[in-house]
Amino acid sequence: MKRLVIILGMRSGSSLTAHISQSMGAYLGEADELMGAALGNPDGHYENMEAVAVNNRILHFCGREWYSLEAPMPDYKDFKIIKEMENIKAVVCRLLEKSDMAVIKDPRICLLLPLWDRALKELEVEVRYIWVFRNPLEIMESLRKRDGYSSRHGLLLWIHYNLSVLKYLQGKDYLLINYKDILEQSQALEKLSKLFNCRFDDTLQQKLKRIIKRGYCHSDYSYEDVRNTQNELLSDLYGALLKNQESEADVLEWENRYKTAAANAEEDFMDYEVLENIRCLEGKEIVIYGAGNYGKRAAEMLQKLNYHKFDFCDRDFHKHGTNFMGGSVFSIAEIEKKKNLLIIIAIENKEWKKEIEQTLACIEDAEHLSFFALELLYKYSIVDLETLRSKVSALGEWYNELGLRANHVKCACSSPVWVYQNGKVGSSTIVKSLQNAGVENAHIHRFFFKRDIVGELILGEEETEFLKNSNVFTLHNSEYTELLKNEVKGRKIITMVREPIAVDLSTVFQWIGSGTADRFFAQRIKEGKDFQQIVFELMVKIQNRQFEWFEDELKELCGVDIYSYPFDKEKGYTVISANEVEILLLKVEKFSELTNVIRDFTGNSHLELLNDNVGKNKEYAHLYQDMKENIKLSKEYVEHYYNHHPYIEHFYTEEEQKEFLSKWKGKILNNA
């Protein structure tokens, strides 16, 4: 039977082990199929690039990265996961077509072993495992040097990866190897040769001497050093591996201890507190993470806010020890020694920012402030209102908005499916899912703009007359209206409804994020109102906007009054065919149950719902989350929606309404 050997480990010598296995006759793939050398692996990673791509996609589908501290939880019924499991089988089959002994090495497999096991069970192949472990302090140093990771992050990752492997391999046959034994060219090499059916003769040993370099180990720590960290779980797990006693471990108990430790390494952002009261910055040792363009901008804003004492941290070791914008640039190791830290994360690249946020979350006695929140603080507190109200910039923004609207209309006229809705109702998820399934569609919020709050926010409430005269979409040009009414015939429209308070809050933050509401907020900050009060004021201003959309837009366009049609509250959708238009109206809270409904409506059996545009991926994610927890709503505002509101009652069951009300009841001012 053909054999597949999977090498497990993370920064533990798994690349060297893969190189050794190749020298012993195992097949890893062609040279152009393997990941090449890099600063952290000068002799190559020996990772099949296609397998790495598959594993990355699976992690992303699970909302994880290789550096995440939470375990991925794949849904084995998910079409995307099923497809990637087929890709795993395809990668393995291609390797075994060229050799009876193949090797795959990718650290991410440590986190995805149950999924790989499911995929490989369908193949006629013998699967063996090599588990390479290494002193956790050496891996911590390696991650710090290569990726700029904090000490605690590196140690938690060591536990996470090795505990994931131990949990899966318990009761299975595997070869456990200490990295130091490989470097010392001990019996570990002979054990490997037996696994690969290779004679351990002088020729092989000479070849291995050329491959194995003592210089691969850049630090040398003992078990006693690990014990001195006072991290009991770390010491217990490493000690068990050293003594080959890992099979006797209480994995469930260790897993619970790890989850507790990982939960304590969550981000602590001060975005909300600082916007409510800038004096929260006082007494903090401020460090800007990122000594680049964003770091420079952060420093300039701090100086204008009258905070002149700050330093920097950066993952680029060439910058360490230099001066930048009046502050010193430190390494992550130096930053970890500081107390009462406030770290401002000034990173432009979104992927890097996520990674840096994770590693900074592991630093004890440190709080964080996003660049986005600092920029809001600067705009709302320092920038002169006249600058924000500049007629030239406001008009430029307004005409740009009109141009975007025109492009949306143009796009709609050439698309068979319209995702046409108020906004902040999960439309990006539908659009992305349709695109991924090959369904051409247009993403539209408005054609007519009868109540143009966006224009009012951009130009100011006093510009009502100018808005009315300059907005071609509200002039109701008969030719434009007739064109649209003719274009909609024969189209399929997907529209949505969502719990209204969540829509109002989400809409306000969309405008905060885009800068649309800058003038509105700055003016009221100057009047002495606090950030939370202004958010609520704007929520009140747009109350009912979602429900009015159905009359202002959908009814205006195709003559369909959705409130005159029954809606299945239990199933969460209805299909309306009228006036040569088909409309699928969905309830966002039921999305996960409606994949087949959308497939049937669009005639595409391959469609899978891909969550997109979720709040946690936004620049304002931390501020938004804190606002959801701290927002104070008036009793009148909440009761407007949850005291026999006809539109709410049209879409939602009594049970759903009670559930929504209980969620917001604790936010009512009278109960605060």
Side-chain angles (χ1 to χ4, degrees):
M1 182 181 286
K2 296 194 173 194
R3 177 180 289 181
L4 173 71
V5 178
I6 297 178
I7 298 174
L8 302 168
M10 187 270 294
R11 303 300 297 162
S12 61
S14 55
S15 296
L16 176 58
T17 306
H19 191 179
I20 290 169
S21 72
Q22 189 182 57
S23 73
M24 292 179 174
Y27 182 67
L28 283 76
E30 299 302 307
D32 61 354
E33 296 173 333
L34 300 178
M35 193 177 293
L39 184 63
N41 285 70
D43 291 329
H45 290 79
Y46 294 90
E47 293 173 11
N48 183 292
M49 289 189 286
E50 191 173 352
V52 171
V54 169
N55 289 330
N56 271 327
R57 287 195 296 268
I58 294 169
L59 287 174
H60 291 163
F61 293 149
C62 299
R64 302 286 183 265
E65 302 290 344
W66 75 267
Y67 54 79
S68 300
L69 297 178
E70 305 89 354
M73 303 291 288
D75 178 359
Y76 294 110
K77 295 178 182 178
D78 189 326
F79 173 77
K80 302 185 296 296
I81 297 296
I82 294 169
K83 183 179 177 181
E84 296 304 342
M85 288 171 70
E86 290 299 318
N87 288 333
I88 287 172
K89 289 190 284 185
V91 170
V92 172
C93 287
R94 278 195 289 274
L95 290 174
L96 292 173
E97 281 175 5
K98 297 188 177 181
S99 174
D100 290 342
M101 179 77 73
V103 165
I104 284 186
K105 171 255 170 179
D106 176 16
R108 297 159 189 80
I109 297 176
C110 297
L111 307 176
L112 298 169
L113 277 166
L115 183 143
W116 272 72
D117 179 63
R118 277 182 176 237
L120 296 176
K121 274 181 178 175
E122 298 178 26
L123 301 178
E124 290 186 13
V125 57
E126 178 193 6
V127 183
R128 299 290 297 275
Y129 298 96
I130 301 172
W131 179 5
V132 190
F133 74 96
R134 183 181 178 187
N135 188 300
L137 295 175
E138 293 173 8
I139 288 179
M140 175 199 76
E141 290 281 7
S142 175
L143 289 170
R144 185 154 62 193
K145 182 178 180 181
R146 189 191 70 173
D147 301 308
Y149 283 5
S150 60
S151 303
R152 191 168 168 220
H153 188 198
L155 295 178
L156 283 170
L157 281 174
W158 186 92
I159 296 171
H160 182 32
Y161 273 74
N162 285 286
L163 200 52
S164 298
V165 173
L166 176 57
K167 182 180 178 182
Y168 173 76
L169 289 184
Q170 274 202 320
K172 292 183 173 62
D173 186 27
Y174 58 91
L175 177 59
L176 180 68
I177 294 180
N178 188 337
Y179 179 52
K180 283 191 176 178
D181 290 341
I182 296 177
L183 294 181
E184 291 166 4
Q185 302 187 41
S186 65
Q187 289 182 338
L189 298 177
E190 196 168 350
K191 290 178 182 177
L192 284 170
S193 69
K194 286 179 181 177
L195 179 63
F196 292 110
N197 301 323
C198 178
R199 288 181 59 194
F200 194 65
D201 55 18
D202 288 342
T203 303
L204 177 61
Q205 290 181 55
Q206 289 302 315
K207 187 189 293 186
L208 294 178
K209 281 182 180 179
R210 291 191 294 272
I211 292 173
I212 300 168
K213 303 166 187 172
R214 186 68 194 175
Y216 279 142
C217 192
H218 304 291
S219 52
D220 192 10
Y221 290 97
S222 67
Y223 176 46
E224 193 60 34
D225 292 325
V226 175
R227 293 182 64 183
N228 288 338
T229 63
Q230 305 297 311
N231 186 325
E232 289 186 10
L233 177 55
L234 191 75
S235 302
D236 290 347
L237 179 50
Y238 183 54
L241 294 175
L242 281 175
K243 299 167 189 173
N244 283 80
Q245 294 176 348
E246 75 283 352
S247 60
E248 302 168 18
D250 184 345
V251 178
L252 183 59
E253 192 266 337
W254 282 3
E255 193 175 30
N256 287 334
R257 284 160 66 187
Y258 168 73
K259 286 178 180 177
T260 300
N264 290 331
E266 292 181 349
E267 301 151 319
D268 185 9
F269 274 82
M270 291 185 66
D271 290 13
Y272 175 79
E273 291 90 336
V274 171
L275 278 165
E276 285 286 284
N277 183 5
I278 190 174
R279 296 183 70 181
C280 290
L281 295 176
E282 293 176 7
K284 296 287 184 183
E285 179 145 5
I286 300 174
V287 172
I288 300 170
Y289 193 100
N293 290 333
Y294 264 42
K296 180 183 177 183
R297 285 173 58 190
E300 289 169 344
M301 287 188 284
L302 280 173
Q303 288 167 342
K304 288 179 180 176
L305 287 163
N306 212 25
Y307 287 87
H308 299 280
K309 192 176 184 309
F310 47 80
D311 290 306
F312 291 84
C313 181
D314 201 282
R315 71 196 301 176
D316 183 351
F317 66 89
H318 294 103
K319 296 179 180 179
H320 298 163
T322 64
N323 289 316
F324 185 68
M325 295 295 293
S328 300
V329 182
F330 294 106
S331 68
I332 190 86
E334 293 170 306
I335 290 299
E336 288 180 290
K337 297 172 186 174
K338 295 180 179 290
K339 300 294 181 184
N340 198 26
L341 274 173
L342 176 71
I343 304 176
I344 298 171
I345 302 169
I347 301 290
E348 184 174 7
N349 183 289
K350 289 184 179 180
E351 291 307 311
W352 278 12
K353 187 169 75 169
K354 279 172 60 180
E355 191 175 356
I356 293 304
E357 283 183 358
Q358 176 66 83
T359 206
L360 294 178
C362 296
I363 296 179
E364 298 184 65
D365 197 24
E367 294 176 299
H368 308 96
L369 183 69
S370 70
F371 182 86
F372 176 78
L374 176 62
E375 200 167 37
L376 285 188
L377 187 66
Y378 170 71
K379 284 193 293 186
Y380 297 166
S381 306
I382 300 297
V383 177
D384 190 88
L385 273 177
E386 291 307 313
T387 303
L388 282 172
R389 285 175 177 157
S390 164
K391 198 73 175 176
V392 174
S393 62
L395 285 174
E397 191 177 343
W398 171 237
Y399 286 121
N400 183 54
E401 169 71 18
L402 293 177
L404 288 173
R405 294 176 183 182
N407 282 334
H408 289 160
V409 173
K410 183 180 177 182
C411 179
C413 291
S414 61
S415 301
V417 177
W418 292 359
V419 183
Y420 179 38
Q421 30 55 56
N422 171 70
K424 309 316 296 177
V425 289
S427 57
S428 292
T429 291
I430 300 295
V431 168
K432 184 176 180 180
S433 302
L434 291 172
Q435 288 172 345
N436 211 53
V439 178
E440 188 181 352
N441 69 95
H443 193 186
I444 306 289
H445 293 315
R446 279 173 164 71
F447 285 118
F448 302 109
F449 301 92
K450 287 187 175 181
R451 312 169 210 234
D452 205 338
I453 181 67
V454 172
E456 191 177 301
L457 289 172
I458 292 172
L459 291 173
E461 294 163 291
E462 67 278 6
E463 297 292 349
T464 307
E465 195 62 30
F466 177 78
L467 274 169
K468 181 180 175 183
N469 294 327
S470 64
N471 187 352
V472 295
F473 301 97
T474 57
L475 292 177
H476 287 281
N477 179 291
S478 58
E479 189 177 338
Y480 170 72
T481 305
E482 279 306 307
L483 170 70
L484 286 176
K485 289 184 176 181
N486 285 327
E487 285 291 339
V488 77
K489 291 177 182 177
R491 312 278 181 185
K492 289 178 180 287
I493 293 176
I494 300 176
T495 192
M496 289 80 83
V497 66
R498 178 187 173 196
E499 193 280 317
I501 297 180
V503 171
D504 291 348
L505 181 58
S506 186
T507 300
V508 170
F509 267 84
Q510 179 74 20
W511 291 336
I512 291 172
S514 66
T516 298
D518 281 354
R519 184 178 289 99
F520 186 88
F521 274 80
Q523 183 175 355
R524 284 152 180 81
I525 291 282
K526 293 281 195 266
E527 294 169 359
K529 294 181 179 177
D530 64 39
F531 185 73
Q532 186 272 137
Q533 287 177 319
I534 305 168
V535 168
F536 179 59
E537 182 183 339
L538 192 47
M539 287 173 69
V540 172
K541 192 176 181 70
I542 61 172
Q543 194 170 33
N544 268 346
R545 187 171 184 261
Q546 173 188 202
F547 299 122
E548 290 166 350
W549 179 92
F550 288 105
E551 182 163 338
D552 290 352
E553 289 288 328
L554 193 64
K555 187 177 179 181
E556 176 77 14
L557 179 66
C558 49
V560 175
D561 179 4
I562 57 104
Y563 299 115
S564 66
Y565 288 84
F567 184 83
D568 193 322
K569 301 175 189 177
E570 297 295 337
K571 291 182 178 178
Y573 77 95
T574 191
V575 177
I576 300 168
S577 295
N579 302 337
E580 301 181 62
V581 180
E582 281 189 85
I583 301 169
L584 172 61
L585 173 57
L586 306 171
K587 190 156 58 176
V588 169
E589 291 79 10
K590 292 280 189 179
F591 263 12
S592 61
E593 303 169 26
L594 299 176
T595 301
N596 286 330
V597 172
I598 302 170
R599 285 175 180 170
D600 291 343
F601 184 75
T602 59
N604 189 302
S605 59
H606 301 296
L607 181 138
E608 291 291 333
L609 285 180
L610 308 171
N611 200 6
D612 189 47
N613 201 27
V614 288
K616 66 180 181 180
N617 296 326
K618 300 286 190 180
E619 282 189 302
Y620 51 74
H622 309 294
L623 180 59
Y624 180 55
Q625 187 58 42
D626 282 347
M627 184 58 71
K628 284 198 289 186
E629 294 172 9
N630 291 286
I631 187 77
K632 295 301 177 188
L633 309 169
S634 70
K635 186 177 180 182
E636 293 75 19
Y637 172 83
V638 176
E639 286 186 348
H640 173 81
Y641 283 130
Y642 292 108
N643 188 10
H644 304 294
H645 191 292
Y647 297 158
I648 295 284
E649 293 185 342
H650 185 77
F651 295 116
Y652 291 100
T653 64
E654 282 188 29
E655 196 60 38
E656 286 172 323
Q657 291 179 58
K658 285 178 184 176
E659 190 177 329
F660 294 146
L661 183 56
S662 68
K663 174 184 172 182
W664 299 112
K665 208 167 187 179
K667 312 293 182 187
I668 297 176
L669 273 167
N670 296 353
N671 292 352

